[in-house]
Amino acid sequence: MILDKDNIDEAVKIIKEGGVVIFPTETVYGIGASIYIEKGVKKIFEVKNRPSDNPLIVHISNLKMLSQLVEKISERHKKIIDKFWPGPISLIFKKKKELSTYITNGLDTVAIRMPKNKVALELIEKTGPLVAPSANISGKVSATKFEHLEELIPKVDAIIKSDPTEIGIESTVLDLSTEDSIILRKGFITKKEISELIGEVSENHKEDIIRSPGIKYKHYSPNTKVVLLKGNEEEVIEFYNSSENSVFIVPPSFNKMKKEENVIEFYSFGDKLVGANRIFSLFYEIDKLNYGIIYVVEIKKEGVMEAVMDRVIRASGNNIIDLRKK
Ligand code: TXA
Ligand code: MG
C-alpha cells in the first residue's frame, strides 16, 4: 500500500498492529516496526533477508523516549545530542534491561538516533520508538528515492511516498557506551566534527566485529560489479582506452574524460550534501543500463567524501585497481 506523506495515520495503525512500513528519513529510507512488537521486528529481518546477528537502530522523536530506553546518558552523549539531534548520527548507549534483546542481538548496548525529517518525527511521535534499518535488501544499495524501492514494495505492509532523502548516505554510528569514543560506521557527520566536541575519537578496526556486527557483511552493492580505481586523469585515461562495456564515475577535475559518453562526473567538491547523496542514486541508475562494470575513481577523502569512499570500497568488496605509476 502506498501512502501519501500528508496522511500518516494509516501507517501508524499498521505499525501498532505489528506491520512494517517504509518511511523517509533525512539519510536514507528506513523500514520501520515498533520496538515493542516482536512479530514486526522479525518481519523486517525476513523482508530484508538480513543476517539475524545484525542489531537494529532504534529511532526516537523526543528525549523522553531516550531516557526510557537507556541506562546512562554520559556527558559526551549530551554534547553530541545537543549539537546534532535531530540529525544523521546514531549513538550507542548501555541499554535498559527491559529493552528486548531481539532488537540488539543480545548485546547490552543499543544504537539510537533521532532523524531530522518531518514525516519520520511525526510518525514516531504517534507510534513510539521504531527500529528502522535502511530500506534495501541486505547487501544491496540503500534507497534515497521512492523509485529505488520497487523491489521492496510488494514485501512490506505500506510505504510512505516522499521526496528524495536530503542527505543520501546513512548516519554516522558512534559508540560512546564505554570510556572510548569510537566511530563504528562513517557517515555524514565527520570525525573532525565529533572530535571538536568531545575530544579524541578513534575508528573501528575492521576485525572488531563484536562492536558492530553489521560491518562484516558486503554492503551497498549494485547488481553491476563495482571496481575502485586509484590514479590521476592520465593514468585513468590509459586504462579507459583499453576497457570495454564499462562506465566510469570520475571526479569533476577530470576535464578530458568528462566529455565521453560512458563517463559520469561524480559530485561537486565542497558541497557536503551534493557529495553524499549522489552515490547510491548513481548505482541505481547505472543498474538500469547494461554495463558490465562500474569503475569509480578514488577521490580525496575530505569531509563526507571519506564516508562516500567507504561505501564505494564496500560496494566493490575490496576490488581495487591501483593505476598509479610510482
Ligand atoms: O541513517 C541510518 O542510520 C539509516 C536510517 C534508516 O535511519 N538506518 C540504518 O540502519 O542505516 P542499518 O540497520 O542499515 O544499520 C545499522 C548499523 C549496522 O551497521 C549495525 O551493526 C549497527 O548500526 N548497530 C546497531 N546496533 C548496534 C549496537 N548496539 N552496537 C554496535 N553497532 C550497532
Ligand atoms: Mg543498511
Side-chain angles (χ1 to χ4, degrees), residues 48 50 133-134 136 142 170 185 219-220:
K48 278 188 61 102
R50 183 180 176 99
S134 49
N136 52 274
S142 303
E170 299 84 355
R185 178 175 72 185
H219 264 133
Y220 318 110

mmCIF file with all atom_site columns, all heavy atoms in Angstrom, residues 48 50 133-134 136 142 170 185 219-220, ligand 2:
data_model
loop_
_atom_site.group_PDB
_atom_site.id
_atom_site.type_symbol
_atom_site.label_atom_id
_atom_site.label_alt_id
_atom_site.label_comp_id
_atom_site.label_asym_id
_atom_site.label_entity_id
_atom_site.label_seq_id
_atom_site.pdbx_PDB_ins_code
_atom_site.Cartn_x
_atom_site.Cartn_y
_atom_site.Cartn_z
_atom_site.occupancy
_atom_site.B_iso_or_equiv
_atom_site.pdbx_formal_charge
_atom_site.auth_seq_id
_atom_site.auth_comp_id
_atom_site.auth_asym_id
_atom_site.auth_atom_id
_atom_site.pdbx_PDB_model_num
ATOM   1  N  N   . LYS A 1 48  ? 14.143 -7.963  4.509  1.00 0.00 ? 48  LYS A N   1
ATOM   2  C  CA  . LYS A 1 48  ? 15.466 -7.506  4.071  1.00 0.00 ? 48  LYS A CA  1
ATOM   3  C  C   . LYS A 1 48  ? 16.425 -8.660  3.798  1.00 0.00 ? 48  LYS A C   1
ATOM   4  O  O   . LYS A 1 48  ? 17.506 -8.455  3.274  1.00 0.00 ? 48  LYS A O   1
ATOM   5  C  CB  . LYS A 1 48  ? 16.122 -6.648  5.174  1.00 0.00 ? 48  LYS A CB  1
ATOM   6  C  CG  . LYS A 1 48  ? 15.687 -5.219  5.201  1.00 0.00 ? 48  LYS A CG  1
ATOM   7  C  CD  . LYS A 1 48  ? 16.547 -4.431  6.191  1.00 0.00 ? 48  LYS A CD  1
ATOM   8  C  CE  . LYS A 1 48  ? 18.019 -4.396  5.871  1.00 0.00 ? 48  LYS A CE  1
ATOM   9  N  NZ  . LYS A 1 48  ? 18.545 -3.209  5.262  1.00 0.00 ? 48  LYS A NZ  1
ATOM   10 N  N   . ARG A 1 50  ? 17.964 -10.084 6.165  1.00 0.00 ? 50  ARG A N   1
ATOM   11 C  CA  . ARG A 1 50  ? 19.061 -9.559  6.989  1.00 0.00 ? 50  ARG A CA  1
ATOM   12 C  C   . ARG A 1 50  ? 19.612 -10.636 7.910  1.00 0.00 ? 50  ARG A C   1
ATOM   13 O  O   . ARG A 1 50  ? 18.838 -11.352 8.550  1.00 0.00 ? 50  ARG A O   1
ATOM   14 C  CB  . ARG A 1 50  ? 18.515 -8.393  7.817  1.00 0.00 ? 50  ARG A CB  1
ATOM   15 C  CG  . ARG A 1 50  ? 19.529 -7.649  8.689  1.00 0.00 ? 50  ARG A CG  1
ATOM   16 C  CD  . ARG A 1 50  ? 18.800 -6.532  9.429  1.00 0.00 ? 50  ARG A CD  1
ATOM   17 N  NE  . ARG A 1 50  ? 19.609 -5.788  10.360 1.00 0.00 ? 50  ARG A NE  1
ATOM   18 C  CZ  . ARG A 1 50  ? 20.175 -4.600  10.096 1.00 0.00 ? 50  ARG A CZ  1
ATOM   19 N  NH1 . ARG A 1 50  ? 20.060 -4.074  8.894  1.00 0.00 ? 50  ARG A NH1 1
ATOM   20 N  NH2 . ARG A 1 50  ? 20.844 -3.953  11.020 1.00 0.00 ? 50  ARG A NH2 1
ATOM   21 N  N   . PRO A 1 133 ? 16.059 -0.246  10.011 1.00 0.00 ? 133 PRO A N   1
ATOM   22 C  CA  . PRO A 1 133 ? 17.246 -0.379  9.167  1.00 0.00 ? 133 PRO A CA  1
ATOM   23 C  C   . PRO A 1 133 ? 16.980 0.262   7.804  1.00 0.00 ? 133 PRO A C   1
ATOM   24 O  O   . PRO A 1 133 ? 15.836 0.593   7.489  1.00 0.00 ? 133 PRO A O   1
ATOM   25 C  CB  . PRO A 1 133 ? 17.411 -1.889  9.029  1.00 0.00 ? 133 PRO A CB  1
ATOM   26 C  CG  . PRO A 1 133 ? 16.047 -2.446  9.205  1.00 0.00 ? 133 PRO A CG  1
ATOM   27 C  CD  . PRO A 1 133 ? 15.308 -1.504  10.116 1.00 0.00 ? 133 PRO A CD  1
ATOM   28 N  N   . SER A 1 134 ? 18.036 0.453   7.043  1.00 0.00 ? 134 SER A N   1
ATOM   29 C  CA  . SER A 1 134 ? 17.868 1.040   5.717  1.00 0.00 ? 134 SER A CA  1
ATOM   30 C  C   . SER A 1 134 ? 16.958 0.152   4.866  1.00 0.00 ? 134 SER A C   1
ATOM   31 O  O   . SER A 1 134 ? 16.986 -1.075  4.977  1.00 0.00 ? 134 SER A O   1
ATOM   32 C  CB  . SER A 1 134 ? 19.225 1.218   5.062  1.00 0.00 ? 134 SER A CB  1
ATOM   33 O  OG  . SER A 1 134 ? 19.979 0.025   5.146  1.00 0.00 ? 134 SER A OG  1
ATOM   34 N  N   . ASN A 1 136 ? 16.465 -1.602  2.102  1.00 0.00 ? 136 ASN A N   1
ATOM   35 C  CA  . ASN A 1 136 ? 17.057 -2.272  0.948  1.00 0.00 ? 136 ASN A CA  1
ATOM   36 C  C   . ASN A 1 136 ? 17.233 -3.736  1.323  1.00 0.00 ? 136 ASN A C   1
ATOM   37 O  O   . ASN A 1 136 ? 17.252 -4.076  2.504  1.00 0.00 ? 136 ASN A O   1
ATOM   38 C  CB  . ASN A 1 136 ? 18.428 -1.663  0.612  1.00 0.00 ? 136 ASN A CB  1
ATOM   39 C  CG  . ASN A 1 136 ? 19.350 -1.603  1.824  1.00 0.00 ? 136 ASN A CG  1
ATOM   40 O  OD1 . ASN A 1 136 ? 19.327 -0.656  2.608  1.00 0.00 ? 136 ASN A OD1 1
ATOM   41 N  ND2 . ASN A 1 136 ? 20.139 -2.649  2.004  1.00 0.00 ? 136 ASN A ND2 1
ATOM   42 N  N   . SER A 1 142 ? 21.418 1.243   -0.504 1.00 0.00 ? 142 SER A N   1
ATOM   43 C  CA  . SER A 1 142 ? 20.386 1.923   0.280  1.00 0.00 ? 142 SER A CA  1
ATOM   44 C  C   . SER A 1 142 ? 19.553 2.834   -0.622 1.00 0.00 ? 142 SER A C   1
ATOM   45 O  O   . SER A 1 142 ? 20.060 3.396   -1.588 1.00 0.00 ? 142 SER A O   1
ATOM   46 C  CB  . SER A 1 142 ? 21.030 2.764   1.375  1.00 0.00 ? 142 SER A CB  1
ATOM   47 O  OG  . SER A 1 142 ? 21.835 1.954   2.194  1.00 0.00 ? 142 SER A OG  1
ATOM   48 N  N   . GLU A 1 170 ? 23.960 6.935   4.964  1.00 0.00 ? 170 GLU A N   1
ATOM   49 C  CA  . GLU A 1 170 ? 23.477 6.588   6.301  1.00 0.00 ? 170 GLU A CA  1
ATOM   50 C  C   . GLU A 1 170 ? 24.154 7.402   7.399  1.00 0.00 ? 170 GLU A C   1
ATOM   51 O  O   . GLU A 1 170 ? 25.239 7.942   7.219  1.00 0.00 ? 170 GLU A O   1
ATOM   52 C  CB  . GLU A 1 170 ? 23.716 5.104   6.608  1.00 0.00 ? 170 GLU A CB  1
ATOM   53 C  CG  . GLU A 1 170 ? 23.028 4.149   5.689  1.00 0.00 ? 170 GLU A CG  1
ATOM   54 C  CD  . GLU A 1 170 ? 23.823 3.917   4.429  1.00 0.00 ? 170 GLU A CD  1
ATOM   55 O  OE1 . GLU A 1 170 ? 24.854 4.568   4.227  1.00 0.00 ? 170 GLU A OE1 1
ATOM   56 O  OE2 . GLU A 1 170 ? 23.379 3.075   3.639  1.00 0.00 ? 170 GLU A OE2 1
ATOM   57 N  N   . ARG A 1 185 ? 30.689 3.355   12.180 1.00 0.00 ? 185 ARG A N   1
ATOM   58 C  CA  . ARG A 1 185 ? 30.357 3.484   10.747 1.00 0.00 ? 185 ARG A CA  1
ATOM   59 C  C   . ARG A 1 185 ? 30.535 4.945   10.371 1.00 0.00 ? 185 ARG A C   1
ATOM   60 O  O   . ARG A 1 185 ? 29.981 5.824   11.026 1.00 0.00 ? 185 ARG A O   1
ATOM   61 C  CB  . ARG A 1 185 ? 28.907 3.033   10.491 1.00 0.00 ? 185 ARG A CB  1
ATOM   62 C  CG  . ARG A 1 185 ? 28.505 3.204   9.021  1.00 0.00 ? 185 ARG A CG  1
ATOM   63 C  CD  . ARG A 1 185 ? 27.125 2.653   8.712  1.00 0.00 ? 185 ARG A CD  1
ATOM   64 N  NE  . ARG A 1 185 ? 26.061 3.465   9.276  1.00 0.00 ? 185 ARG A NE  1
ATOM   65 C  CZ  . ARG A 1 185 ? 24.764 3.156   9.226  1.00 0.00 ? 185 ARG A CZ  1
ATOM   66 N  NH1 . ARG A 1 185 ? 24.385 2.035   8.637  1.00 0.00 ? 185 ARG A NH1 1
ATOM   67 N  NH2 . ARG A 1 185 ? 23.863 3.951   9.760  1.00 0.00 ? 185 ARG A NH2 1
ATOM   68 N  N   . HIS A 1 219 ? 28.325 -4.805  1.508  1.00 0.00 ? 219 HIS A N   1
ATOM   69 C  CA  . HIS A 1 219 ? 27.247 -3.837  1.627  1.00 0.00 ? 219 HIS A CA  1
ATOM   70 C  C   . HIS A 1 219 ? 27.138 -2.951  0.405  1.00 0.00 ? 219 HIS A C   1
ATOM   71 O  O   . HIS A 1 219 ? 28.090 -2.813  -0.338 1.00 0.00 ? 219 HIS A O   1
ATOM   72 C  CB  . HIS A 1 219 ? 27.552 -2.911  2.816  1.00 0.00 ? 219 HIS A CB  1
ATOM   73 C  CG  . HIS A 1 219 ? 26.884 -3.339  4.075  1.00 0.00 ? 219 HIS A CG  1
ATOM   74 N  ND1 . HIS A 1 219 ? 27.531 -3.425  5.270  1.00 0.00 ? 219 HIS A ND1 1
ATOM   75 C  CD2 . HIS A 1 219 ? 25.605 -3.690  4.321  1.00 0.00 ? 219 HIS A CD2 1
ATOM   76 C  CE1 . HIS A 1 219 ? 26.694 -3.808  6.205  1.00 0.00 ? 219 HIS A CE1 1
ATOM   77 N  NE2 . HIS A 1 219 ? 25.519 -3.988  5.656  1.00 0.00 ? 219 HIS A NE2 1
ATOM   78 N  N   . TYR A 1 220 ? 26.012 -2.324  0.260  1.00 0.00 ? 220 TYR A N   1
ATOM   79 C  CA  . TYR A 1 220 ? 25.838 -1.206  -0.691 1.00 0.00 ? 220 TYR A CA  1
ATOM   80 C  C   . TYR A 1 220 ? 26.115 -1.586  -2.148 1.00 0.00 ? 220 TYR A C   1
ATOM   81 O  O   . TYR A 1 220 ? 26.479 -0.747  -2.937 1.00 0.00 ? 220 TYR A O   1
ATOM   82 C  CB  . TYR A 1 220 ? 26.755 -0.029  -0.306 1.00 0.00 ? 220 TYR A CB  1
ATOM   83 C  CG  . TYR A 1 220 ? 26.814 0.259   1.172  1.00 0.00 ? 220 TYR A CG  1
ATOM   84 C  CD1 . TYR A 1 220 ? 27.959 -0.006  1.913  1.00 0.00 ? 220 TYR A CD1 1
ATOM   85 C  CD2 . TYR A 1 220 ? 25.711 0.776   1.836  1.00 0.00 ? 220 TYR A CD2 1
ATOM   86 C  CE1 . TYR A 1 220 ? 28.009 0.247   3.281  1.00 0.00 ? 220 TYR A CE1 1
ATOM   87 C  CE2 . TYR A 1 220 ? 25.753 1.032   3.201  1.00 0.00 ? 220 TYR A CE2 1
ATOM   88 C  CZ  . TYR A 1 220 ? 26.906 0.766   3.913  1.00 0.00 ? 220 TYR A CZ  1
ATOM   89 O  OH  . TYR A 1 220 ? 26.961 1.014   5.252  1.00 0.00 ? 220 TYR A OH  1
HETATM 90 MG MG  . MG  B 2 .   ? 21.907 -0.726  5.871  1.00 0.00 ? 2   MG  B MG  1
#
